[in-house]
Amino acid sequence: MSLKAGIVGLPNVGKSTLFNAITKKNILAANYPFATIDPNVGIVTVPDSRLEFLEELYMPKSTVPTTFEFTDIAGLVKGASSGEGLGNKFLSHIREVDAIVEVVRCFDDENITHVEGKTDPLRDIDIINVELILSDLEIIESRIEKIQKKAETTKDKDALFEVATLTKAREALLNNKSLRLLDFDEDELLVLKPFNFITLKPLIYAANVDEETAVTGTNNYVEIVREYANKEHSGVIVMCAKMESELAELPDEDKKVFLEEMGIKNSGLDKLIFATYDLLGLATYFTAGPDEVRAWTFKKGMNAKKCAGIIHTDFEKGFIKAEIMSFNDLYELKDEKKVKEAGKLRLEGKDYIMQDGDICYFRFNV
């Protein structure tokens, strides 16, 4: 599964610095708006200690972690949806992602210009969210104008239902309410899906703080963001983009030592990846053997047959059974043979709901 998150925010809030940490690419991160001219895309591997254990146990020829794609969008400003700054062509890139990471500046630094003059996370969130709402509203207005007359004239049920659904969405947006905060049923969501509305996507706030706050975990600005996020049922990750950028340059062992000395359990980037996975309702299963150990991402609630299709469509078409053991059983017994002897290797059918940490061998015939 190809998974994408878009990073948005005002200029100079730490977006590009965070993106540098994600990709270890030295993209332009100048101290002025619109430094990022094109949407930058970076792939990050998802950290998983279980994969390390499986690698040590099986000693495979190759190990393949699951990955996550981050897209860095140029800094938005007030009026972006109507063409201000670099305009809303950048908003179109956000429509292609699965989730949005909104970076909010939660630190003071007189050496880093704030495009709005001073640090105010609520104002910054409002500016970004309004631009996203206006961008969605423009699409809805255009579509309703195109089909409403035809729907009313022909009395076509599908067209009338589309108009009703879009009208419901328009009313929410006109009241400055993001679409993800509304309750839509399955039929309404099917109507909305082709439009890729930005405000319908799940969102998480990345509170970018100074190094001291990264250790303590909060400051007054962060608490303001938390309070706002709680009201709209969004998550907040506290991270120091500058520190993450420095950590990205270190070897893994040095990184662990640095974090331990700072009293930090996981890096901000790791926390962001875990939180985004949780936000999207994702989990991981594994395939393991002497040739390859590999992690695969799936949506929670998917059955064995659908998960087999993630590897290859032939696996899904010709699915017979899935041999499954849980990672915890293998970790405890340290040997696949012992797992079998303990009766903990299961043969599951196509309707088995896959669990996070399942280790699978799919039987199929095409």
Side-chain angles (χ1 to χ4, degrees):
M1 292 178 74
S2 177
L3 300 158
K4 300 177 183 179
I7 305 174
V8 301
L10 293 176
N12 297 346
V13 296
K15 272 188 328 85
S16 293
T17 306
L18 172 60
F19 185 77
N20 286 346
I22 287 171
T23 61
K24 299 185 182 178
K25 289 180 183 176
N26 187 27
I27 64 166
L28 183 62
N31 182 21
Y32 55 88
F34 320 127
T36 317
I37 300 303
D38 295 312
N40 291 276
V41 177
I43 308 294
V44 62
T45 57
V46 177
D48 197 325
S49 59
R50 297 174 298 183
L51 200 63
E52 295 169 18
F53 170 82
L54 293 174
E55 185 177 24
E56 289 175 12
L57 185 67
Y58 287 93
M59 301 293 286
K61 293 173 187 172
S62 68
T63 302
V64 185
T66 188
T67 58
F68 208 102
E69 185 177 299
F70 283 92
T71 300
D72 178 36
I73 310 297
L76 298 173
V77 293
K78 198 179 291 183
S81 61
S82 57
E84 287 297 315
L86 291 176
N88 65 0
K89 73 171 183 175
F90 292 95
L91 293 173
S92 68
H93 297 299
I94 312 174
R95 297 195 183 282
E96 306 307 315
V97 303
D98 301 297
I100 294 171
V101 177
E102 186 169 328
V103 182
V104 184
R105 179 164 162 174
C106 291
F107 66 91
D108 291 314
D109 189 332
E110 60 185 25
N111 296 315
I112 301 178
T113 308
H114 194 295
V115 72
E116 290 293 324
K118 66 174 184 176
T119 306
D120 183 343
L122 277 188
R123 177 205 57 216
D124 294 357
I125 288 171
D126 188 56
I127 289 172
I128 294 296
N129 290 356
V130 164
E131 293 309 318
L132 302 185
I133 283 171
L134 289 173
S135 181
D136 280 352
L137 191 57
E138 184 182 351
I139 290 173
I140 288 179
E141 298 281 14
S142 175
R143 180 61 181 169
I144 289 177
E145 184 181 345
K146 190 175 181 180
I147 67 164
Q148 188 166 25
K149 193 172 182 180
K150 180 186 173 185
E152 290 171 352
T153 304
T154 63
K155 303 297 181 185
D156 179 80
K157 277 175 64 178
D158 290 339
L160 287 168
F161 184 69
E162 182 180 347
V163 170
T165 303
L166 291 175
T167 300
K168 174 182 174 179
R170 179 175 64 182
E171 287 173 3
L173 295 174
L174 286 171
N175 285 300
N176 204 28
K177 192 173 185 180
S178 295
L179 298 183
R180 65 179 164 275
L181 303 180
L182 269 66
D183 290 322
F184 292 108
D185 62 31
E186 285 187 25
D187 292 332
E188 289 172 325
L189 288 173
L190 281 173
V191 168
L192 299 175
K193 188 176 180 180
F195 298 101
N196 276 336
F197 290 123
I198 302 172
T199 65
L200 193 56
K201 298 179 187 296
L203 180 145
I204 192 165
Y205 293 99
N208 185 22
V209 299
D210 54 28
E211 293 185 22
E212 183 181 337
T213 306
V215 177
T216 60
T218 192
N219 62 24
N220 289 338
Y221 293 136
V222 172
E223 290 308 308
I224 289 169
V225 175
R226 282 194 208 279
E227 187 178 343
Y228 180 92
N230 285 339
K231 289 177 183 175
E232 60 168 39
H233 310 294
S234 296
V236 178
I237 292 297
V238 178
M239 61 197 307
C240 174
K242 181 172 178 285
M243 184 190 293
E244 295 300 319
S245 190
E246 291 166 356
L247 278 171
E249 301 300 322
L250 298 176
D252 287 344
E253 280 306 310
D254 292 349
K255 193 184 298 183
K256 286 177 184 176
V257 171
F258 178 83
L259 289 172
E260 284 172 8
E261 288 177 351
M262 296 288 283
I264 300 172
K265 188 177 178 182
N266 289 308
S267 72
L269 178 54
D270 287 355
K271 287 190 289 184
L272 179 60
I273 294 169
F274 298 148
T276 309
Y277 253 56
D278 187 56
L279 185 70
L280 292 171
L282 304 175
T284 304
Y285 77 83
F286 302 95
T287 50
D291 288 330
E292 181 185 79
V293 164
R294 184 162 184 160
W296 303 87
T297 301
F298 69 98
K299 282 260 188 190
K300 290 175 183 174
M302 283 178 70
N303 62 31
K305 186 178 179 181
K306 286 286 184 188
C307 283
I310 293 170
I311 299 176
H312 198 285
T313 52
D314 283 352
F315 282 34
E316 184 175 355
K317 286 177 188 172
F319 182 92
I320 301 171
K321 291 285 183 182
E323 291 182 14
I324 295 176
M325 58 181 161
S326 77
F327 174 83
N328 289 340
D329 288 335
L330 183 60
Y331 182 78
E332 184 184 332
L333 297 170
K334 304 290 189 290
D335 187 285
E336 192 175 306
K337 189 178 178 183
K338 289 180 181 176
V339 173
K340 291 178 183 177
E341 289 170 351
K344 294 187 175 182
L345 180 70
R346 311 185 310 278
L347 206 57
E348 300 287 0
K350 63 180 182 179
D351 296 325
Y352 166 74
I353 302 300
M354 294 281 284
Q355 301 298 309
D356 183 60
D358 278 348
I359 302 169
C360 310
Y361 174 76
F362 294 108
R363 296 182 187 176
F364 72 103
N365 182 35
V366 177

